[in-house]
Amino acid sequence: MTKEPSVEPSAEQKLVRFMLSHMLAGLAAGLVFGGALIATNTANLRTLLFASPEGWLFAILFFMGLSVTFGSLAMGVAIMLSGKRD
């Protein structure tokens, strides 16, 4: 049996994986945070969601906005932490 040579991922591939992992963590955090806000009825969000005939539209916009915000924040933190230290 011959062993296949191991292929080391390039620096760009490592960076993309690093950024994607942080983005996915931020997206998950945004969804969890939004779910917690609705579950606890903070600022009557759950009441507005269920009382409105367009509640599904509110939910989509609410969760997408939080996901984009938290995903961007996580990617920004990743960029700030990826620099070399002196």
Side-chain angles (χ1 to χ4, degrees):
M1 286 193 182
T2 61
K3 288 186 178 180
E4 292 184 26
S6 63
V7 178
E8 185 73 24
S10 68
E12 290 89 16
Q13 290 173 335
K14 287 181 182 179
L15 181 62
V16 168
R17 286 182 189 162
F18 179 70
M19 296 302 292
L20 282 176
S21 67
H22 280 78
M23 180 188 69
L24 292 175
L27 292 174
L31 293 175
V32 168
F33 182 70
L37 286 177
I38 289 177
T40 59
N41 202 21
T42 303
N44 290 323
L45 287 176
R46 184 177 52 207
T47 306
L48 287 171
L49 176 68
F50 291 126
S52 173
E54 289 85 20
W56 60 272
L57 181 61
F58 163 74
I60 290 172
L61 292 172
F62 181 68
F63 284 109
M64 289 300 294
L66 283 174
S67 296
V68 167
T69 301
F70 278 71
S72 300
L73 175 67
M75 288 178 67
V77 168
I79 290 170
M80 296 299 170
L81 294 178
S82 67
K84 295 187 179 191
R85 301 193 180 193
D86 294 335

